[in-house]
Amino acid sequence: MATQLPGLLLNGVGLTLTGGRSINCRNSQPPAAISSANPPPLSSTIQAVGWKGAGGSGNENSKLFNACEGIQEEYDWNDLETELYRWTKTLRPVQWYPGHIAKTEKELKEQLKLMDVVIEVRDARIPMSTSHPQMDSWLGNRKRILVLNREDMISTADRNAWASYYANQGIKVVFSNGQLGMGALKLGRLAKALAGTVNVKRKAKGLLPRPVRAGVVGYPNVGKSSLVNRLLKRRMCPAAPRPGVTRELKWVRFGKDLELLDSPGIIPMRISDQTAAIKLAICDDIGERSYDALDVAAILVQMLSRLPTVGNKALCDRYKIEADGCCGKIFVQKLAVQLFNADNNQAAFRILQDFRKGKFGWIALERPPRREKPRKLLHLSCELWGGSEMLAS
């Protein structure tokens, strides 16, 4: 009797268990050759030969199946990142560094010395791409809270993946929705708790207590000012759904115990990672003048066609245009002819706006980085076969 578990991305792995029983992973392609554009057929299986239903529980079988699915998911996202790198190599580099950012960066470094805790806000759809490469060196050992804003724009699976990733790193993370205020109160409590030792030390020195100082920092248009306004329950900081609205640092008081510094978005002077730059453009976290909308929309189409939760069918259903996922630019041009009198820019902006408004569903464009050795996920207990061996790739 054999039990088959679909979807494992392995090739020619044979594992022998006690009593001659074995696991054979049948797949005609090596993992590197399998892309998210061509998912493995359902006939690709992991087969446990000699399995006895009475000898194992459904729970254990489910754990094995979930681990296999986890490996497939990691390979798929890795393939997508590889393809994205290849697509962006031929495009004009995306660069955006308004004059006020240089001034802000200099002032912010001075203000950091006054902060008890730093609240770093990122876009939950692209947490890695909205991470400033110099942030760690600026903050040093200062206490930090990571906020992934716009949690309403990602799926539960995306949220759980990032929550687990940061929990394993020991990083305190808060998921928030700056528009509706979800997560704002939790953030305020956490900031006060983390910096609670400040007044303990001041009291020991005979000084009067003072409010905890927290700085809110992050990339442009990730929702910093909206989050501050939600904490204050009134509009104290200018906020709008486009990058570059906040132009100066501003301290505001939250009750008697907390002071918040709202800051303009900061971004590297030169973005060396162009895959990150394209994702910033897709999510509207960078100025429109910095990129070609047709190029960005074309790449978005190719990304969506490869995501299992969207795919070519969703694109076809929405725009009534056949999508093959190979050339996004042709898809945008067809849409331009059909709806916009052959205006490619209008068609490109329509696709970008549809993604930003969740017309394809709420999805993230990034998942946590894959472990260096993902096959270690196969170290599963084989007690359900009657032995204590560990499966190893």
Side-chain angles (χ1 to χ4, degrees):
M1 179 178 178
T3 298
Q4 294 186 335
L5 304 177
L8 186 67
L9 301 183
L10 295 175
N11 181 41
V13 178
L15 305 169
T16 305
L17 306 176
T18 305
R21 293 183 291 275
S22 64
I23 288 181
N24 299 318
C25 300
R26 303 183 307 194
N27 198 317
S28 60
Q29 292 178 279
I34 302 174
S35 71
S36 50
N38 299 295
L42 291 178
S43 59
S44 298
T45 62
I46 174 170
Q47 184 177 25
V49 181
W51 163 262
K52 296 180 180 179
S57 71
N59 247 354
E60 290 166 324
N61 194 21
S62 175
K63 288 177 184 176
L64 181 61
F65 178 78
N66 289 339
C68 296
E69 278 198 328
I71 294 174
Q72 179 182 13
E73 188 172 70
E74 289 199 35
Y75 273 116
D76 286 346
W77 281 93
N78 184 62
D79 289 341
L80 181 60
E81 287 295 317
T82 302
E83 289 190 285
L84 184 57
Y85 174 77
R86 178 169 56 84
W87 297 333
T88 57
K89 282 182 69 174
T90 59
L91 302 182
R92 173 175 65 86
V94 175
Q95 300 295 342
W96 188 66
Y97 195 74
H100 73 275
I101 291 184
K103 179 185 175 184
T104 297
E105 190 175 302
K106 184 178 179 180
E107 293 176 349
L108 185 60
K109 289 177 184 177
E110 292 298 317
Q111 292 293 326
L112 281 172
K113 300 172 184 176
L114 305 175
M115 296 179 193
D116 304 312
V117 61
V118 175
I119 300 170
E120 183 188 358
V121 184
R122 300 185 191 174
D123 190 324
R125 296 168 295 177
I126 48 171
M128 303 303 290
S129 295
T130 46
S131 170
H132 198 293
Q134 293 177 282
M135 188 63 69
D136 289 339
S137 62
W138 291 344
L139 300 186
N141 295 324
R142 195 164 278 99
K143 294 176 181 177
R144 179 185 352 188
I145 302 171
L146 179 61
V147 176
L148 297 187
N149 195 32
R150 299 181 180 139
E151 73 157 336
D152 56 313
M153 293 187 175
I154 60 174
S155 67
T156 302
D158 295 324
R159 188 188 190 282
N160 292 342
W162 285 110
S164 298
Y165 173 73
Y166 287 116
N168 291 336
Q169 292 188 337
I171 296 175
K172 295 184 182 299
V173 61
V174 175
F175 288 86
S176 71
N177 176 353
Q179 294 296 320
L180 301 179
M182 292 160 51
L185 291 178
K186 179 182 178 182
L187 176 60
R189 290 195 299 266
L190 186 56
K192 293 176 187 177
L194 277 181
T197 56
V198 171
N199 285 320
V200 174
K201 293 177 181 178
R202 288 178 64 84
K203 187 177 180 180
K205 295 177 182 179
L207 300 173
L208 293 174
R210 64 163 174 80
V212 169
R213 295 172 184 150
V216 183
V217 301
Y219 268 49
N221 203 35
V222 293
K224 300 181 297 299
S225 297
S226 296
L227 197 59
V228 171
N229 289 335
R230 280 293 176 179
L231 272 169
L232 300 174
K233 296 184 180 178
R234 60 187 184 276
R235 188 180 177 87
M236 291 290 292
C237 303
R242 64 179 187 277
V245 173
T246 305
R247 293 291 182 122
E248 57 185 17
L249 301 173
K250 183 177 182 179
W251 282 101
V252 291
R253 178 71 68 91
F254 176 52
K256 297 180 180 179
D257 304 323
L258 183 62
E259 289 181 348
L260 295 167
L261 175 67
D262 184 33
S263 64
I266 48 174
I267 198 167
M269 182 179 293
R270 181 172 180 79
I271 306 176
S272 56
D273 183 356
Q274 284 300 296
T275 62
I278 289 293
K279 285 183 276 191
L280 290 172
I282 290 172
C283 295
D284 201 21
D285 293 335
I286 197 170
E288 286 182 0
R289 295 183 180 180
S290 66
Y291 58 87
D292 184 315
L294 175 57
D295 288 339
V296 173
I299 287 182
L300 174 60
V301 167
Q302 291 169 194
M303 291 180 73
L304 293 177
S305 69
R306 284 156 174 76
L307 293 177
T309 54
V310 184
N312 291 327
K313 186 178 184 302
L315 290 165
C316 181
D317 289 346
R318 177 151 188 84
Y319 301 113
K320 311 306 178 188
I321 297 173
E322 288 296 327
D324 59 9
C326 295
C327 184
K329 187 167 287 190
I330 291 177
F331 184 90
V332 177
Q333 289 168 346
K334 286 181 180 178
L335 180 62
V337 171
Q338 181 170 300
L339 295 180
F340 300 103
N341 294 322
D343 189 325
N344 291 332
N345 276 334
Q346 282 196 42
F349 276 113
R350 167 62 66 84
I351 294 172
L352 291 172
Q353 287 302 319
D354 283 351
F355 169 77
R356 294 163 185 169
K357 293 177 180 178
K359 301 299 183 182
F360 304 107
W362 298 120
I363 49 174
L365 296 182
E366 290 179 343
R367 279 289 180 92
R370 191 186 65 187
R371 296 183 182 89
E372 290 184 7
K373 295 183 179 180
R375 288 191 178 188
K376 292 295 182 184
L377 289 172
L378 276 180
H379 284 244
L380 304 172
S381 173
C382 293
E383 292 178 357
L384 61 159
W385 280 283
S388 59
E389 302 93 335
M390 301 296 285
L391 296 181
S393 55

